[in-house]
């Protein structure tokens, strides 16, 4: 319950006096609030730091540990205070939440410690105030990513092989982690060597060598030592093919492997050779064949298996795809604009190199990236002016997305470093240094479980108390709405029943039912004007729920209430909720939230006067109790 | 490209200007009101010191500046009646609370009204209610005023009611009211007529006592 609504409820009830002269019948009796009215100061001792607060302050949120009767478990009779063996620094923030209604996240605290404290005190983290919400979310996401990575790192690689692994699994592991066995390491280095050899051969075969005897022109080495290069190429391709086939065989999921980037690179690296073998040596297709040889250079990408830095770079580029896209898009826009301008500026000149707008593209790109080859130069004054604007803006446009890409790269790189550090720490742990601490934890755990069973016996009592605690406000609010119904002689209902009613009324069906609640009260009861008896009406307040506008930071708690039908026919009325919303007062800049509460009516058979003041077995609203229920569905209600 | 950046910076400058103006306004309207002394209030109302303390603590927590505006009042009241539109009735309530017609409710107004409603005598309560109904404060309740009030109350019920709300239900209600209250059939209800008629009605008398233990 927010302080907001609870504070104003007495005033709203008092204002109900204004309805009295209009009501034809007497108002129902209000629920008697048996809780002690006089406010008292509670003492809370958190690890030696004493906090004091009004009881009312803590009662604002009855769904939390401090607001409910759960805190009685921590009451120390000797010192007459509540003692919690928790962090006093964190408790300060928790207590401030009760006082102000907003939960703040201290930036210097560890996010996990904070979350644990919140869980202990029964506070849902979603209610963190807007001011601290972003920071909290960021840190939490970072932490989760970290955890996910750690589990991933744990699962993979350095863990010892499961005992019954097939040769296929062993092979796959050898391929993925060369450090595991000597053979794998040897293979790893051999393939690396051959990749290097292949790439160097590709490069060297285009270098002009001295011509053979008798010729004058320089020949590229590739043609002079044709056979040697061919043999080298064949050897490399054989190795690569063998490697690829072995990987394919060992892969746990062949489809996934074939779609992965590295396998595509492998295929692209070796295909040109085979295509070259297959293709006949005629002139028509040799042009295409030459193009294919270009693809041999992709073998250099095979190095990315061997180098982590390359992988990081690739991953960065992938994750910065949107920034790169933006960069590309803005560059394209600028190029088109400036090319057009330059073309029309230089159009008049006789010997202009700006022959068309696409021709000007080249000039624009060269100028914007500050290359300035000088093959195309503007000669008119207008052209020069626009040319200078072009080069200046080029610098700016390129400089903008770069920091984003850089920061992404830095983050990913550090994450990778962290993985290595984690691995080192795991090895340290396994070495047994922390075994002593583990033992003490175990004994603590044993004690705790013993205590838990003791707690469980007391559970039923505490839930009953919980019931009483939570329903005072609901009783009163419900009584208020009841009075309104009496004043207007109409009853609250929900959308579904309303549409049913509209239909039945049009058919002419009239139910003469007497109200259950007011049946004993007034003598004058119209048969039509009273609350009719309804059997097992569904009480889904979709209207209230749909008008709920819950802002992100201000929903206090979300209870999922489970409703089940019972065999006892209950006369129910629709439930009514007070709205949760951001309550903005003009005076301060505080935000409040109001309660949304689902209140089923008390069982209708008992007359009002004989109702116990606060009907203790009030069914329905409570969490986790076996309430006699009213609906089939379970629906979420924000309650405070 | 530079032109684009230039226009962007121009826009932001304008926004800054607006914000500064808003800041000035804000500074001028943040009013802090302190209520008069606790002893004085205890003497003027029917509350004990402790009750006043509890009330003020709650009030001050919600409203650090010490006043409630009409907008806020409407919002607060609407929380309790999520189905219907409580703004009209809240408006009338606000005027009834704001006895000095200052446009905002201070703690004294709040407490004075609560004192009458919860701890006042029957006559005082009825007088307060009469004031509530008498929208233009001319000492008479005529049919239009009553219709406004009753319509506002019915608005709070919302659309989905049982039995289905007919459009002339408020009017019927008002007619019934006048039938009972207007003794001399002159079309208006005066304070004396009102008090007299209410005192004759047992239901009303009984209901009036129900609200005494709200606080």
């Amino acid at each position: 319950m927010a302080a907001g609504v609870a504070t104003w409820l007495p005033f709203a009830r008092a204002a109900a006096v204004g309805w009295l002269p209009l009501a034809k019948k007497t108002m129902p009796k209000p629920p008697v609030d048996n809780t002690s009215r006089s406010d008292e100061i509670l003492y809370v001792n958190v690890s030696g730091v004493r906090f004091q607060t009004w009881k009312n302050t803590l009662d604002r949120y009855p769904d939390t540990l401090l607001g409910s009767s759960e805190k009685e478990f921590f009451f120390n009779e000797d010192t007459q205070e509540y003692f919690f063996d928790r962090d006093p620094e964190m408790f300060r923030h928790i207590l401030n939440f009760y006082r102000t209604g907003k939960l703040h996240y201290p930036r210097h605290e560890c996010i996990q410690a904070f979350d644990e404290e919140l869980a202990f005190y029964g506070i849902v983290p979603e209610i963190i105030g807007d001011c601290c919400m972003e920071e909290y979310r960021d840190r939490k996401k970072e932490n989760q990513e970290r955890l996910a990575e750690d589990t991933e790192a744990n699962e993979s690689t350095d863990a010892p092989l499961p005992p019954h692994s097939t040769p296929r699994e062993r092979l796959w592991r050898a391929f993925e982690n060369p450090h595991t066995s000597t053979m794998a390491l040897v293979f790893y280095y051999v393939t690396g060597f051959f990749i290097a050899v292949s790439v160097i051969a590709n490069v060297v075969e285009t270098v002009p060598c001295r011509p053979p005897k008798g010729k004058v022109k320089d020949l590229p080495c590739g043609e002079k030592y044709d056979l040697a290069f061919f043999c080298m190429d064949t050897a490399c391709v054989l190795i690569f093919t063998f490697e690829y086939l072995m990987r394919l065989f060992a892969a746990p999921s062949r489809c996934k492997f074939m779609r992965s980037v590295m396998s595509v690179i492998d295929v692209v690296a070796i295909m040109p050779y085979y295509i070259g073998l297959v293709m006949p040596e005629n002139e028509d297709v040799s042009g295409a064949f030459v193009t294919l040889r270009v693809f041999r250079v992709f073998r250099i990408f095979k190095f990315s298996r061997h180098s982590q830095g390359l992988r990081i770079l690739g991953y960065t580029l992938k994750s910065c795809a949107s920034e790169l896209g933006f960069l590309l898009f803005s560059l394209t826009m600028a190029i088109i604009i400036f090319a057009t301008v330059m073309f029309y500026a230089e159009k008049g000149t006789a010997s202009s190199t700006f022959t068309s707008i696409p021709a000007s593209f080249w000039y624009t790109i060269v100028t914007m990236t500050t290359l300035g080859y000088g093959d195309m130069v503007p000669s008119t004054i207008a052209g020069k002016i626009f040319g200078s604007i072009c080069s200046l803006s080029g610098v700016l446009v390129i400089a903008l997305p770069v920091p984003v890409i850089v920061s992404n790269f830095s983050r990913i790189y550090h994450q990778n470093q962290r993985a290595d550090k984690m691995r080192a720490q795991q090895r340290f742990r396994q070495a047994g240094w922390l075994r002593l601490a583990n033992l003490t934890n175990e004994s603590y755990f044993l004690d705790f479980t013993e205590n838990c069973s003791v707690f469980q016996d007391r559970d039923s009592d505490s839930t009953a108390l919980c019931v009483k605690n939570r329903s005072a406000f609901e009783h009163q609010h419900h009584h208020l709405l009841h009075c309104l119904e009496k004043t207007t002689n109409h009853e609250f209902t929900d959308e579904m029943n309303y549409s049913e009613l509209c239909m039945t009324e049009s058919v002419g069906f009239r139910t003469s039912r007497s109200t259950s609640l007011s049946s004993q009260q007034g003598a004058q009861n119209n048969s039509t004007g009273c609350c009719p008896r309804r059997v097992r009406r569904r009480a889904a307040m979709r209207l209230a729920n749909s008008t709920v506008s819950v802002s992100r930071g201000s929903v206090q708690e979300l209870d999922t209430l489970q409703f089940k039908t019972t065999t006892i026919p209950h006369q129910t009325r629709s439930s009514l909720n007070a709205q949760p919303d951001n309550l903005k007062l003009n005076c301060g800049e505080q935000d409040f939230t109001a309660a949304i509460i689902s209140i089923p009516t008390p069982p209708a058979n008992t007359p009002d006067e004989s109702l116990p003041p606060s009907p203790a077995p009030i069914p329905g609203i409570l969490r986790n109790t076996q309430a006699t229920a009213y609906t089939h569905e379970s629906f979420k209600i924000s309650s405070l | 490209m530079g032109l684009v950046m230039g226009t962007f910076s121009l826009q932001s400058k304008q926004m800054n200007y607006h914000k500064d103006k808003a800041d000035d306004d804000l500074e001028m309207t943040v009013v802090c009101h302190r209520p008069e002394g606790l002893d004085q209030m205890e003497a003027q109302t029917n509350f004990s010191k402790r009750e006043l303390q509890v009330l003020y603590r709650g009030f001050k927590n919600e409203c650090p500046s010490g006043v409630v505006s009409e907008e806020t009042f409407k919002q607060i009241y609407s929380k309790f009646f999520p189905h219907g539109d409580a703004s009209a009735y809240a408006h009338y309530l606000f005027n009834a609370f704001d006895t000095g017609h200052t446009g905002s409710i201070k703690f004294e107004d709040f407490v004075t009204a609560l004192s009458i409603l919860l701890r006042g005598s029957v006559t005082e309560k009825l007088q307060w209610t009469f004031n509530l109904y008498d929208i233009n404060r001319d000492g008479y309740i005529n049919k239009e005023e009553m219709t406004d009030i009753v319509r506002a109350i019915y608005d709070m019920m919302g659309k989905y009611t049982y039995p289905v709300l007919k459009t002339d239900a408020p009017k019927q209600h008002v007619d019934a009211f006048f039938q009972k209250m207007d003794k001399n059939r002159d079309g208006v209800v005066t304070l004396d007529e009102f008090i007299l008629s209410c005192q004759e009605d047992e239901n009303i008398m009984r209901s009036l006592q129900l609200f005494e233990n709200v606080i």
Side-chain angles (χ1 to χ4, degrees), chain A residues 3-5 7-32 37-39 54 56 60 99 330 334 393 397 473 477 479-481 483-485 487-495 498 501-502 505 511 524 528 530 532 534 541 543 547 575-579 581-590 592 594, chain B residues 1-2 5 26 30-31 50 53-55 57-69 71-73 75-84 89 93 97 110 114 117-118 125-126 128-129 132-133 146 149-150 153-154 156-166 169 172-173 176-177 180-181 194 198 201-204 206-211 213-215:
Chain A
V5 170
T7 318
W8 295 106
L9 183 64
F11 135 75
R13 298 180 69 206
V17 167
W19 302 334
L20 295 182
L22 288 169
K24 299 195 179 82
K25 301 185 278 296
T26 343
M27 292 292 146
K29 271 186 76 172
V32 174
R37 299 277 164 62
S38 63
D39 214 357
W54 292 109
N56 269 351
R60 282 183 198 152
R99 290 177 184 143
S330 57
S393 58
V397 166
F473 177 87
H477 183 229
H479 176 254
L480 183 67
L481 293 168
C483 290
L484 182 61
E485 284 181 341
T487 310
T488 56
N489 254 337
H490 289 75
E491 239 185 49
F492 284 110
T493 172
D494 57 42
E495 197 175 334
Y498 182 70
L501 281 171
C502 285
E505 271 192 15
T511 57
Q524 310 90 339
T528 50
C530 312
R534 278 181 230 140
M541 290 318 292
L543 178 68
T547 56
S575 313
L576 305 162
N577 299 339
Q579 226 177 17
D581 207 350
N582 252 345
L583 189 53
K584 284 195 173 51
L585 292 190
N586 195 23
C587 35
E589 282 91 42
Q590 294 179 10
F592 307 88
Chain B
M1 215 47 66
M5 316 243 336
L26 195 61
V30 167
V31 170
R50 280 202 88 116
Q53 281 180 339
V54 171
L55 277 174
R57 278 208 299 273
F59 187 83
K60 178 85 178 172
N61 220 10
E62 301 309 306
C63 230
S65 68
V67 291
V68 186
S69 73
E71 264 314 303
T72 319
F73 192 87
Q75 278 175 4
I76 294 170
Y77 204 70
S78 304
K79 296 294 170 232
F80 297 102
F81 305 99
H83 297 272
Y89 188 67
L93 259 188
F97 268 78
F110 185 67
L114 275 185
L117 287 171
L118 301 176
K125 288 183 191 173
L126 291 174
W128 189 90
T129 316
L132 171 68
Y133 294 161
M146 208 54 226
I149 297 269
V150 171
I153 293 181
Y154 272 84
M156 284 199 286
M157 290 289 296
K159 200 170 98 166
Y160 304 115
T161 57
Y162 180 88
V164 180
L165 207 55
K166 300 192 179 45
Q172 281 180 358
H173 206 135
F177 178 81
K180 196 167 71 168
M181 302 279 168
F194 182 74
C198 286
D201 188 340
E202 268 193 26
N203 276 337
I204 297 179
R206 220 179 314 166
S207 308
L208 274 175
Q209 289 160 11
L210 290 176
F211 286 88
N213 58 351
V214 163
I215 291 206

